[in-house]
Amino acid sequence: MGLSRGWTWLDRLAQDLRYAVRILRQSPGFTVAALATIGLGIAASVTVASFVDALFLRSLPVPDAGRLVNVAVGRAGDMDATVGYDEYAYLRAHATTIDHLAAHYSTAPLYVAVDQRWGQESGEVQGAVVSSSYFAALGLRPWRGRFFTAREDAVPDRDAVAVIGYDFWRRKLASDPAAIGRTLRVNERVFQIIGIMPPEFHGVLIGEPPNEIWIPAMMLGTGYRSCDALRRRDCRIVRMIGRLAPRRTAEQAQAELSALAARLEAPPLGAPRGPGGESGELGDHGHQVVTVKPVRGSPVQRTFLDLARLLSAAAAVLLLIGCANLGGLLLARNAARGGELALRLALGAGRPRLVRQLLTESLLLAVAGGGLGLLLSLWTSRLLLGFYGVDEEGYRHFYDTSLDAPVLACALLLSLLAGVSFGLWPALRCAGIEVAAVLKLGAGGAGSTRARALLTGAQVALSLALLAGAGLLARSAGRILSGRNFDPRQVAVLRLRPRLVGYGPDGAHAFQREVVRRLAALPGVESVSLARGQGLVWHGSSQVRAIAPGSRQSARSARLFVIAPRYFATLRIPLLQGRDFDGHDLPASPRVAIVDETLARGLWGARSPLDQTIVSSEEPQESLRVVGVVADHQLASNVEGPTPKLFVPYWQQADEIDSRMCIRTDGDPERALPAIRHAIAAIDPRVPVTEAMSMLAQVRAFYTDARVAAAVLLCSGCLALFLSAVGLYGVLAFVVRRRTREIGIRMAIGARPGQIAAAVLKEGLAIAALGAAFGLALALAATRLLSAWLYGVTARDPTTFFAASALLGVVALLACYLPARRAARVDPMEALREQ
């Protein structure tokens, strides 16, 4: 009996599907429009799901990834905390809840020079300095060759062996099958290639630039020149990862490691150490807390969290607009089928049967549109994550956007939900028609006009909210590239890394002076300067307290910049008073400084800051004589509030080795980069030249989140506006079609075409105005959430709201015009004859 009922149900489902396919084939225009609408909505949602999946949900491509844990020793919950090698070695030696506890420094800058037989230039790659237990902890097997052993990771600077990534082998070594056993130079040290990583593995830091070379932890001096002694007390750059022992939990591991960490203390310099770097039972280190968490998602996911929420909201709104639009289309289509549906009811079809048939058609549309959206998302996902392809330091990032079970499940679930949401209400309304009235008068879909008007008004409201947000972000993104008292155009930036090839401070200064001299003499180069900084060349390297002895305003927090002469001229920052730094500002010369207007006002008010004394809180504290004042400047207008800035001479900093350069050219800086590289290589070809790009490209990469937010909302807003216009047009076209007889009668008794057109326009614009009123309220509430991406624009910028409303009004007027014109051209005689 149960089996018979099952077959009956399947037979009815097959019958419904065949009938739905036949009905949809009879209306190709409607079907194509419906598939495109729902496909775009599903594509947007699946694209966001792929983005979230790639950055938050993906596990490492290793066996039994659920057993992997990150271990951090520091403030509670701080998974970015790093430790010294001795602390790691002590925990590794005593932990029983974690198998193969491993250390890794996975953001090591490695400048790699490959053999000329492979025809590739040298370049900087992201490397990893790892303990020998790293590969066992991850459960990896080499694709070719082998991994380094515990013996090769036992003595500092002895075993120069390297495991390379599959992509590095394919791209840099031309997939040479004989690469194992060959050598390459890493930061001027010769390393032997002993293995190749599996193709799917790119490192343990998802969302960061992928690792391309792995070297032993004992070779840290090669991978990080600033920390050349692995067991120095201030060398705390190690992160830890491990695999939970069988039948052990992360909570148990955290309890055990916390007890071990409580006995840790930094041993005194010169204290005897055990073979593994241990120093016996170490004393209390009460401020340390151990946190053990599963390895899942991206370590930079906090950076992307707000953006993921914004993208999810935009995709949800777009999908809602698409569903509302399709709901309106189905209401009109089912109203046009009123005679057919009434006849089926009159012949004995039950109303539930009719609802099921209509819902089957909607679900078929949704699933087919979902398949279309899934295919489209393969392109849009790569497009979205392509924004993050290269960061502001020139590193390429890798994100796995391949379709997996969660993304496929999301696409299917969204398709089914969309099918039910836009199909159920029209089906229920049509199933409730009055059979006698429809068969007698030919009317159908009672009340469908009002329902469609409500749906269209909701679309207009959501569209205006998206447009307002898109306008704010677009204006903000434009201001990023239009700096105040600062001109990033026609400027090339790069980084010199003499430290990686063994330069000391004196040699580095001599090299850098020669670089400045050679580049300044190149044709097309207007100005050259050096700076120390993190990330962008104009970002200060540290925060200091600037103190003016004897001033009423005793101290101000300021951003410290270490710059060479002509920095201001190169970036076109106006020098208002005094002088620029010059070649006489050397280590043996009196200490000098330049301040910006904000810092000068904060310390001396209306008095001239020239020749005043300022004391920096940076160790060691120094007294600096102010020799100049520059205009307040920002990377972009009002990117942040006025930030006091303190500038000190580059050549007075005796320990400066690595630096960033800015070179102003008289044309496209990207075209000048090859000549710049050639000139530097002519001085010393070993010195790594990295991060070479135009300053505008660096700005765009630095503000990628703002650009992504602007691009996504702009595309979503335009698409939502188009769908709303289609919906508004559909409502009015349906009204005109249903009221053709009425229009004919009115025109027959004297109504002018202009009056008819005005009436239709009034009805359509009333719907748009009501939707716009709700949309403005929604936009005012929603745009406050965009503050994190707004630079130089407030969340309630009246210009943006006016422009968005005006654009919506123009589009609404155009959408209403065509039905109004059609109504004005109704022939009274033909209308009455047809009715």
Side-chain angles (χ1 to χ4, degrees), residues 231-250:
R231 296 192 173 102
R232 273 174 33 188
R233 294 180 61 183
D234 60 345
C235 185
R236 299 178 60 83
I237 63 170
V238 170
R239 298 176 187 267
M240 293 182 287
I241 190 171
R243 184 175 291 274
L244 290 173
R247 296 179 296 280
R248 296 302 183 101
T249 65

PDB file of all heavy atoms in Angstrom, residues 231-250:
ATOM      1  N   ARG A 231      67.194  32.156  19.272  1.00  0.00           N
ATOM      2  CA  ARG A 231      66.780  32.109  20.680  1.00  0.00           C
ATOM      3  C   ARG A 231      67.005  33.428  21.400  1.00  0.00           C
ATOM      4  O   ARG A 231      67.118  33.465  22.618  1.00  0.00           O
ATOM      5  CB  ARG A 231      67.515  30.979  21.388  1.00  0.00           C
ATOM      6  CG  ARG A 231      67.153  29.594  20.835  1.00  0.00           C
ATOM      7  CD  ARG A 231      67.660  28.476  21.724  1.00  0.00           C
ATOM      8  NE  ARG A 231      67.169  27.196  21.276  1.00  0.00           N
ATOM      9  CZ  ARG A 231      67.883  26.319  20.581  1.00  0.00           C
ATOM     10  NH1 ARG A 231      69.122  26.616  20.227  1.00  0.00           N
ATOM     11  NH2 ARG A 231      67.378  25.165  20.228  1.00  0.00           N
ATOM     12  N   ARG A 232      67.093  34.523  20.649  1.00  0.00           N
ATOM     13  CA  ARG A 232      67.130  35.820  21.306  1.00  0.00           C
ATOM     14  C   ARG A 232      65.829  36.070  22.034  1.00  0.00           C
ATOM     15  O   ARG A 232      64.748  35.698  21.578  1.00  0.00           O
ATOM     16  CB  ARG A 232      67.353  36.918  20.260  1.00  0.00           C
ATOM     17  CG  ARG A 232      68.807  37.178  19.970  1.00  0.00           C
ATOM     18  CD  ARG A 232      69.002  38.148  18.833  1.00  0.00           C
ATOM     19  NE  ARG A 232      67.975  39.180  18.733  1.00  0.00           N
ATOM     20  CZ  ARG A 232      67.894  40.021  17.703  1.00  0.00           C
ATOM     21  NH1 ARG A 232      68.756  39.920  16.709  1.00  0.00           N
ATOM     22  NH2 ARG A 232      66.947  40.941  17.660  1.00  0.00           N
ATOM     23  N   ARG A 233      65.906  36.730  23.186  1.00  0.00           N
ATOM     24  CA  ARG A 233      64.705  36.948  23.994  1.00  0.00           C
ATOM     25  C   ARG A 233      63.676  37.810  23.271  1.00  0.00           C
ATOM     26  O   ARG A 233      62.486  37.656  23.495  1.00  0.00           O
ATOM     27  CB  ARG A 233      65.102  37.607  25.321  1.00  0.00           C
ATOM     28  CG  ARG A 233      65.942  36.711  26.217  1.00  0.00           C
ATOM     29  CD  ARG A 233      66.303  37.415  27.500  1.00  0.00           C
ATOM     30  NE  ARG A 233      65.118  37.782  28.269  1.00  0.00           N
ATOM     31  CZ  ARG A 233      65.178  38.470  29.418  1.00  0.00           C
ATOM     32  NH1 ARG A 233      66.334  38.867  29.901  1.00  0.00           N
ATOM     33  NH2 ARG A 233      64.060  38.758  30.068  1.00  0.00           N
ATOM     34  N   ASP A 234      64.147  38.733  22.409  1.00  0.00           N
ATOM     35  CA  ASP A 234      63.207  39.607  21.719  1.00  0.00           C
ATOM     36  C   ASP A 234      62.749  39.039  20.375  1.00  0.00           C
ATOM     37  O   ASP A 234      62.042  39.705  19.624  1.00  0.00           O
ATOM     38  CB  ASP A 234      63.830  40.993  21.505  1.00  0.00           C
ATOM     39  CG  ASP A 234      65.099  40.921  20.669  1.00  0.00           C
ATOM     40  OD1 ASP A 234      65.640  39.810  20.495  1.00  0.00           O
ATOM     41  OD2 ASP A 234      65.558  41.983  20.198  1.00  0.00           O
ATOM     42  N   CYS A 235      63.158  37.802  20.081  1.00  0.00           N
ATOM     43  CA  CYS A 235      62.779  37.179  18.815  1.00  0.00           C
ATOM     44  C   CYS A 235      61.514  36.355  19.038  1.00  0.00           C
ATOM     45  O   CYS A 235      61.553  35.130  19.158  1.00  0.00           O
ATOM     46  CB  CYS A 235      63.917  36.296  18.300  1.00  0.00           C
ATOM     47  SG  CYS A 235      63.609  35.582  16.669  1.00  0.00           S
ATOM     48  N   ARG A 236      60.389  37.047  19.097  1.00  0.00           N
ATOM     49  CA  ARG A 236      59.107  36.389  19.375  1.00  0.00           C
ATOM     50  C   ARG A 236      58.233  36.472  18.119  1.00  0.00           C
ATOM     51  O   ARG A 236      57.323  37.305  18.029  1.00  0.00           O
ATOM     52  CB  ARG A 236      58.415  37.039  20.569  1.00  0.00           C
ATOM     53  CG  ARG A 236      59.213  36.962  21.859  1.00  0.00           C
ATOM     54  CD  ARG A 236      58.489  37.672  22.995  1.00  0.00           C
ATOM     55  NE  ARG A 236      57.181  37.106  23.270  1.00  0.00           N
ATOM     56  CZ  ARG A 236      56.973  36.042  24.031  1.00  0.00           C
ATOM     57  NH1 ARG A 236      58.004  35.433  24.613  1.00  0.00           N
ATOM     58  NH2 ARG A 236      55.752  35.584  24.226  1.00  0.00           N
ATOM     59  N   ILE A 237      58.524  35.629  17.156  1.00  0.00           N
ATOM     60  CA  ILE A 237      57.781  35.676  15.893  1.00  0.00           C
ATOM     61  C   ILE A 237      57.158  34.328  15.548  1.00  0.00           C
ATOM     62  O   ILE A 237      56.583  34.170  14.480  1.00  0.00           O
ATOM     63  CB  ILE A 237      58.698  36.133  14.742  1.00  0.00           C
ATOM     64  CG1 ILE A 237      59.819  35.121  14.523  1.00  0.00           C
ATOM     65  CG2 ILE A 237      59.250  37.510  14.992  1.00  0.00           C
ATOM     66  CD1 ILE A 237      60.617  35.390  13.266  1.00  0.00           C
ATOM     67  N   VAL A 238      57.264  33.356  16.451  1.00  0.00           N
ATOM     68  CA  VAL A 238      56.826  31.996  16.152  1.00  0.00           C
ATOM     69  C   VAL A 238      55.343  31.826  16.474  1.00  0.00           C
ATOM     70  O   VAL A 238      54.871  32.240  17.534  1.00  0.00           O
ATOM     71  CB  VAL A 238      57.663  30.970  16.955  1.00  0.00           C
ATOM     72  CG1 VAL A 238      57.066  29.582  16.859  1.00  0.00           C
ATOM     73  CG2 VAL A 238      59.095  30.956  16.446  1.00  0.00           C
ATOM     74  N   ARG A 239      54.599  31.226  15.541  1.00  0.00           N
ATOM     75  CA  ARG A 239      53.243  30.762  15.800  1.00  0.00           C
ATOM     76  C   ARG A 239      53.272  29.248  15.944  1.00  0.00           C
ATOM     77  O   ARG A 239      54.193  28.593  15.452  1.00  0.00           O
ATOM     78  CB  ARG A 239      52.301  31.150  14.655  1.00  0.00           C
ATOM     79  CG  ARG A 239      52.157  32.646  14.431  1.00  0.00           C
ATOM     80  CD  ARG A 239      51.284  32.902  13.209  1.00  0.00           C
ATOM     81  NE  ARG A 239      51.240  34.307  12.864  1.00  0.00           N
ATOM     82  CZ  ARG A 239      50.317  35.163  13.295  1.00  0.00           C
ATOM     83  NH1 ARG A 239      49.353  34.723  14.095  1.00  0.00           N
ATOM     84  NH2 ARG A 239      50.341  36.423  12.938  1.00  0.00           N
ATOM     85  N   MET A 240      52.254  28.701  16.588  1.00  0.00           N
ATOM     86  CA  MET A 240      52.231  27.259  16.831  1.00  0.00           C
ATOM     87  C   MET A 240      50.958  26.630  16.271  1.00  0.00           C
ATOM     88  O   MET A 240      49.879  27.203  16.346  1.00  0.00           O
ATOM     89  CB  MET A 240      52.335  26.967  18.327  1.00  0.00           C
ATOM     90  CG  MET A 240      53.677  27.339  18.938  1.00  0.00           C
ATOM     91  SD  MET A 240      53.804  26.924  20.694  1.00  0.00           S
ATOM     92  CE  MET A 240      52.735  28.170  21.411  1.00  0.00           C
ATOM     93  N   ILE A 241      51.128  25.441  15.722  1.00  0.00           N
ATOM     94  CA  ILE A 241      50.013  24.652  15.211  1.00  0.00           C
ATOM     95  C   ILE A 241      50.293  23.201  15.571  1.00  0.00           C
ATOM     96  O   ILE A 241      51.457  22.787  15.658  1.00  0.00           O
ATOM     97  CB  ILE A 241      49.858  24.838  13.679  1.00  0.00           C
ATOM     98  CG1 ILE A 241      48.561  24.228  13.189  1.00  0.00           C
ATOM     99  CG2 ILE A 241      51.053  24.264  12.932  1.00  0.00           C
ATOM    100  CD1 ILE A 241      48.240  24.558  11.732  1.00  0.00           C
ATOM    101  N   GLY A 242      49.259  22.448  15.832  1.00  0.00           N
ATOM    102  CA  GLY A 242      49.453  21.050  16.204  1.00  0.00           C
ATOM    103  C   GLY A 242      48.220  20.225  15.916  1.00  0.00           C
ATOM    104  O   GLY A 242      47.165  20.740  15.545  1.00  0.00           O
ATOM    105  N   ARG A 243      48.359  18.928  16.117  1.00  0.00           N
ATOM    106  CA  ARG A 243      47.248  17.997  15.903  1.00  0.00           C
ATOM    107  C   ARG A 243      46.896  17.367  17.246  1.00  0.00           C
ATOM    108  O   ARG A 243      47.780  16.856  17.957  1.00  0.00           O
ATOM    109  CB  ARG A 243      47.649  16.923  14.891  1.00  0.00           C
ATOM    110  CG  ARG A 243      46.527  15.969  14.524  1.00  0.00           C
ATOM    111  CD  ARG A 243      46.981  15.009  13.428  1.00  0.00           C
ATOM    112  NE  ARG A 243      47.166  15.694  12.162  1.00  0.00           N
ATOM    113  CZ  ARG A 243      46.204  15.909  11.282  1.00  0.00           C
ATOM    114  NH1 ARG A 243      44.967  15.501  11.548  1.00  0.00           N
ATOM    115  NH2 ARG A 243      46.451  16.524  10.150  1.00  0.00           N
ATOM    116  N   LEU A 244      45.626  17.438  17.610  1.00  0.00           N
ATOM    117  CA  LEU A 244      45.189  16.872  18.881  1.00  0.00           C
ATOM    118  C   LEU A 244      45.489  15.381  18.926  1.00  0.00           C
ATOM    119  O   LEU A 244      45.306  14.654  17.939  1.00  0.00           O
ATOM    120  CB  LEU A 244      43.690  17.095  19.080  1.00  0.00           C
ATOM    121  CG  LEU A 244      43.236  18.529  19.349  1.00  0.00           C
ATOM    122  CD1 LEU A 244      41.717  18.603  19.343  1.00  0.00           C
ATOM    123  CD2 LEU A 244      43.793  19.046  20.671  1.00  0.00           C
ATOM    124  N   ALA A 245      45.963  14.931  20.088  1.00  0.00           N
ATOM    125  CA  ALA A 245      46.201  13.515  20.276  1.00  0.00           C
ATOM    126  C   ALA A 245      44.868  12.761  20.247  1.00  0.00           C
ATOM    127  O   ALA A 245      43.811  13.344  20.490  1.00  0.00           O
ATOM    128  CB  ALA A 245      46.914  13.283  21.608  1.00  0.00           C
ATOM    129  N   PRO A 246      44.887  11.467  19.931  1.00  0.00           N
ATOM    130  CA  PRO A 246      43.635  10.698  19.897  1.00  0.00           C
ATOM    131  C   PRO A 246      42.856  10.815  21.209  1.00  0.00           C
ATOM    132  O   PRO A 246      43.431  10.786  22.296  1.00  0.00           O
ATOM    133  CB  PRO A 246      44.126   9.257  19.649  1.00  0.00           C
ATOM    134  CG  PRO A 246      45.441   9.422  18.951  1.00  0.00           C
ATOM    135  CD  PRO A 246      46.053  10.657  19.545  1.00  0.00           C
ATOM    136  N   ARG A 247      41.555  10.985  21.064  1.00  0.00           N
ATOM    137  CA  ARG A 247      40.620  11.067  22.189  1.00  0.00           C
ATOM    138  C   ARG A 247      40.901  12.260  23.101  1.00  0.00           C
ATOM    139  O   ARG A 247      40.528  12.264  24.267  1.00  0.00           O
ATOM    140  CB  ARG A 247      40.620   9.766  23.005  1.00  0.00           C
ATOM    141  CG  ARG A 247      40.122   8.559  22.207  1.00  0.00           C
ATOM    142  CD  ARG A 247      40.153   7.301  23.032  1.00  0.00           C
ATOM    143  NE  ARG A 247      41.502   6.934  23.405  1.00  0.00           N
ATOM    144  CZ  ARG A 247      42.349   6.309  22.597  1.00  0.00           C
ATOM    145  NH1 ARG A 247      41.985   5.951  21.384  1.00  0.00           N
ATOM    146  NH2 ARG A 247      43.572   6.016  23.006  1.00  0.00           N
ATOM    147  N   ARG A 248      41.561  13.258  22.590  1.00  0.00           N
ATOM    148  CA  ARG A 248      41.779  14.490  23.357  1.00  0.00           C
ATOM    149  C   ARG A 248      41.021  15.635  22.706  1.00  0.00           C
ATOM    150  O   ARG A 248      40.830  15.659  21.487  1.00  0.00           O
ATOM    151  CB  ARG A 248      43.275  14.840  23.440  1.00  0.00           C
ATOM    152  CG  ARG A 248      44.100  13.805  24.202  1.00  0.00           C
ATOM    153  CD  ARG A 248      43.577  13.614  25.619  1.00  0.00           C
ATOM    154  NE  ARG A 248      44.387  12.690  26.390  1.00  0.00           N
ATOM    155  CZ  ARG A 248      45.298  13.066  27.291  1.00  0.00           C
ATOM    156  NH1 ARG A 248      45.473  14.364  27.523  1.00  0.00           N
ATOM    157  NH2 ARG A 248      46.000  12.180  27.945  1.00  0.00           N
ATOM    158  N   THR A 249      40.594  16.598  23.512  1.00  0.00           N
ATOM    159  CA  THR A 249      39.830  17.737  23.016  1.00  0.00           C
ATOM    160  C   THR A 249      40.648  19.016  23.126  1.00  0.00           C
ATOM    161  O   THR A 249      41.677  19.063  23.836  1.00  0.00           O
ATOM    162  CB  THR A 249      38.534  17.911  23.816  1.00  0.00           C
ATOM    163  OG1 THR A 249      38.864  18.252  25.173  1.00  0.00           O
ATOM    164  CG2 THR A 249      37.706  16.629  23.795  1.00  0.00           C
ATOM    165  N   ALA A 250      40.168  20.061  22.447  1.00  0.00           N
ATOM    166  CA  ALA A 250      40.854  21.356  22.511  1.00  0.00           C
ATOM    167  C   ALA A 250      40.837  21.906  23.934  1.00  0.00           C
ATOM    168  O   ALA A 250      41.808  22.540  24.375  1.00  0.00           O
ATOM    169  CB  ALA A 250      40.185  22.341  21.549  1.00  0.00           C
TER     170      ALA A 250
END
